[in-house]
Amino acid sequence: MTAAAASATGAAPPQQMQEEGNENPMQMHSNKVLQVMEQTWIGKCRKRWLLAILANMGFMISFGIRCNFGAAKTHMYKNYTDPYGKVHMHEFNWTIDELSVMESSYFYGYLVTQIPAGFLAAKFPPNKLFGFGIGVGAFLNILLPYGFKVKSDYLVAFIQITQGLVQGVCYPAMHGVWRYWAPPMERSKLATTAFTGSYAGAVLGLPLSAFLVSYVSWAAPFYLYGVCGVIWAILWFCVTFEKPAFHPTISQEEKIFIEDAIGHVSNTHPTIRSIPWKAIVTSKPVWAIIVANFARSWTFYLLLQNQLTYMKEALGMKIADSGLLAAIPHLVMGCVVLMGGQLADYLRSNKILSTTAVRKIFNCGGFGGEAAFMLIVAYTTSDTTAIMALIAAVGMSGFAISGFNVNHLDIAPRYAAILMGFSNGIGTLAGLTCPFVTEAFTAHSKHGWTSVFLLASLIHFTGVTFYAVYASGELQEWAEPKEEEEWSNKELVNKTGINGTGYGAAETTFTQLPAGVDSSYQAQAAPAPGTNPFASAWDEHGSSGVVENPHYQQW
């Protein structure tokens, strides 16, 4: 609508409508937390990047929670002297083996919800599911000290299993979030920004938990992470939304950019019957992701659970009470993950490399480097060499996150959450199996650590080979419901005369309007040849910021 036309009809010019449209969402929305944040510098951030940063913080809390038990149990079953010189008697009669069983019960719950979480993230708003997993898990963390104090191993195990159940939905849910929020050429950057929180959680969680246990009490890390997680969850629910179209304060520019880049997103939820199970199970790119996830999970859980033990037993280093050195590899990895995500999307967006090439180079390069440095760790007798090689190995693996860990969104965005649940479930099996294998190798001799790291290296070389041969960065044929696409195309042709390949590509017919309808609208229905038939509607609705149907602009 032009300014002259607006003046003639008594309507506000588009610029005025735009300004009014920008103010209107905040007036209509009753979310006080969101209103306060919009008045700060945070409100000026791109909403997709704010989402990624908040997700990063959520993962940081989630993985920090996993460090609490390991730091606290050393002060539960034996006497200890705090940094002030005061001797403390142990409060519990559990053995270290009993405490380890209670600690590992978390992973049993975590494993169970991986595949169901994919369905839940596809059926319900994935951002709400992610917030639920972190928030409830944090609340349960506050209850854990009570379970210890009443000396009920069953209650502690139950809380740990329930924590695993609710936090098991987080990774699949976040892939569901990026289905709606991540433009294809920004997937690596946004996803790695979010997932870096898991490694940052270990970097911060290991030394912070050790510090709190030593200087405050064994219960302090449980309370701190629990309260922080609950506060984070409240903030997350107030400022995040399922889709850009549902966000009341997102700019029209960003909303249109995201929706145009992603394209049409199916509104029908996949069901057990509609999911192409046979195609998924027989898909080589899917199995490439699964094998890579298993390989990465093996080394991640190996170091998370046994790194300090290796340094003490194999290298003779007296660092049992220090989490700082153990956190350095994860710190390096977090930095590499962020850098790798930026570089991966730069190569893709500038058409330097295809998506398939980027995923294979980053994944195989990261895994190959990690495997090579693991061999050095396995056979070196030098403390310094072992530590440097360990840091380099974990750091190199950060490049792989821009490979397999975002590959689900490339090959099947509709089923990304389900694929993530499937692959992460297999990866969790590595976390359950690795401790038993490590114990078997190292039970009788410290030389068993050579076999431990040699096996980790061979697993990574297997992942390199499989991923290099079978991985893909292209949308798979089974990834979208063909019936819905055909129906949508037919509807588009019937309603607009456009066959989806370009304006004016199909013949347009106009029918006589019913009696009583102004004939001027009929005259406007036939645009001049070569013009955009949606131009007037776009000016009136798109630029004004007032959209009656949030799905209207997805075309």
Side-chain angles (χ1 to χ4, degrees), residues 368-378 386 388-394 396 457:
E370 184 172 21
F373 283 111
M374 281 291 177
L375 288 177
I376 297 176
V377 175
M388 296 302 296
L390 196 61
I391 293 173
V394 178
M396 287 295 296
S457 179

Side-chain angles (χ1 to χ4, degrees), residues 72-157:
K73 68 182 180 183
T74 57
H75 288 186
M76 290 181 177
Y77 73 98
K78 64 180 181 180
N79 301 336
Y80 67 94
T81 303
D82 64 25
Y84 305 106
K86 182 179 179 181
V87 178
H88 296 263
M89 303 298 294
H90 65 274
E91 299 182 36
F92 309 101
N93 293 322
W94 289 311
T95 66
I96 184 62
D97 292 333
E98 290 172 332
L99 287 169
S100 296
V101 169
M102 286 185 274
E103 181 183 13
S104 64
S105 61
Y106 171 94
F107 290 99
Y108 294 102
Y110 189 81
L111 174 63
V112 168
T113 49
Q114 289 302 301
I115 294 179
F119 285 101
L120 294 173
K123 187 175 181 61
F124 299 102
N127 66 307
K128 305 298 183 189
L129 192 64
F130 181 76
F132 171 82
I134 304 294
V136 175
F139 177 74
L140 290 172
N141 213 51
I142 299 175
L143 300 181
L144 263 177
Y146 173 77
F148 288 120
K149 289 176 180 178
V150 299
K151 300 181 179 181
S152 172
D153 48 355
Y154 292 105
L155 179 58
V156 172

Side-chain angles (χ1 to χ4, degrees), residues 167-514:
Q167 292 194 346
V169 306
C170 294
Y171 263 108
M174 186 47 55
H175 271 70
V177 169
W178 294 133
R179 179 193 176 197
Y180 299 109
W181 279 93
M185 290 302 167
E186 293 183 2
R187 282 173 182 164
S188 302
K189 292 185 289 189
L190 290 168
T192 53
T193 299
F195 296 142
T196 301
S198 59
Y199 310 108
V203 171
L204 182 63
L206 287 170
L208 180 58
S209 296
F211 175 85
L212 291 172
V213 166
S214 299
Y215 286 89
V216 184
S217 75
W218 62 263
F222 296 104
Y223 290 128
L224 176 65
Y225 274 91
V227 171
C228 289
V230 171
I231 294 174
W232 173 91
I234 295 172
L235 181 64
W236 173 268
F237 280 115
C238 288
V239 303
T240 66
F241 297 84
E242 179 185 5
K243 303 176 183 179
F246 297 164
H247 201 299
T249 63
I250 189 172
S251 68
Q252 286 294 311
E253 177 188 4
E254 184 180 8
K255 183 173 81 71
I256 293 171
F257 168 73
I258 295 173
E259 292 178 344
D260 285 353
I262 294 176
H264 174 67
V265 178
S266 173
N267 291 321
T268 59
H269 299 299
T271 62
I272 294 180
R273 289 188 176 184
S274 67
I275 295 173
W277 288 112
K278 182 178 179 181
I280 291 176
V281 173
T282 57
S283 172
K284 294 177 181 177
V286 170
W287 279 103
I289 295 173
I290 292 173
V291 171
N293 199 318
F294 182 89
R296 179 68 202 107
S297 297
W298 184 276
T299 303
F300 178 76
Y301 288 115
L302 169 66
L303 297 180
L304 195 65
Q305 297 168 349
N306 301 286
Q307 186 172 331
L308 287 175
T309 305
Y310 161 73
M311 292 176 178
K312 179 182 179 181
E313 293 182 357
L315 304 180
M317 301 177 67
K318 299 179 181 180
I319 57 169
D321 295 326
S322 173
L324 183 59
L325 188 58
I328 293 177
H330 300 286
L331 175 63
V332 174
M333 182 182 181
C335 296
V336 173
V337 168
L338 287 175
M339 181 179 68
Q342 296 289 330
L343 180 58
D345 279 346
Y346 173 82
L347 295 173
R348 294 170 63 232
S349 61
N350 288 277
K351 303 186 185 303
I352 298 174
L353 292 172
S354 67
T355 299
T356 298
V358 168
R359 300 296 181 233
K360 288 186 176 183
I361 290 172
F362 276 69
N363 198 85
C364 296
F367 276 7
E370 184 172 21
F373 283 111
M374 281 291 177
L375 288 177
I376 297 176
V377 175
Y379 290 104
T380 187
T381 57
S382 168
D383 296 357
T384 303
T385 302
I387 297 299
M388 296 302 296
L390 196 61
I391 293 173
V394 178
M396 287 295 296
S397 69
F399 287 110
I401 304 303
S402 295
F404 80 93
N405 214 29
V406 292
N407 203 186
H408 317 73
L409 293 163
D410 299 322
I411 65 173
R414 175 176 171 81
Y415 305 114
I418 295 172
L419 295 182
M420 185 60 192
F422 190 26
S423 64
N424 209 37
I426 301 295
T428 305
L429 289 176
L432 294 173
T433 308
C434 184
F436 297 103
V437 175
T438 302
E439 178 66 22
F441 279 137
T442 61
H444 305 292
S445 172
K446 69 177 184 179
H447 297 294
W449 288 105
T450 298
S451 300
V452 168
F453 288 104
L454 177 60
L455 177 61
S457 179
L458 293 176
I459 289 174
H460 272 74
F461 277 128
T462 302
V464 168
T465 304
F466 203 94
Y467 198 88
V469 175
Y470 296 118
S472 173
E474 305 303 321
L475 185 69
Q476 301 299 292
E477 292 182 0
W478 45 265
E480 293 295 338
K482 292 182 173 57
E483 295 81 1
E484 181 176 304
E485 291 179 355
E486 293 172 358
W487 179 85
S488 299
N489 288 335
K490 289 178 181 179
E491 286 293 305
L492 186 61
V493 171
N494 292 338
K495 291 182 178 181
T496 67
I498 299 171
N499 68 356
T501 59
Y503 294 119
E507 182 178 355
T508 304
T509 58
F510 299 94
T511 57
Q512 185 65 35
L513 292 175

Side-chain angles (χ1 to χ4, degrees), residues 510-528:
F510 299 94
T511 57
Q512 185 65 35
L513 292 175
V517 178
D518 192 342
S519 61
S520 62
Y521 287 97
Q522 186 174 9
Q524 294 176 6

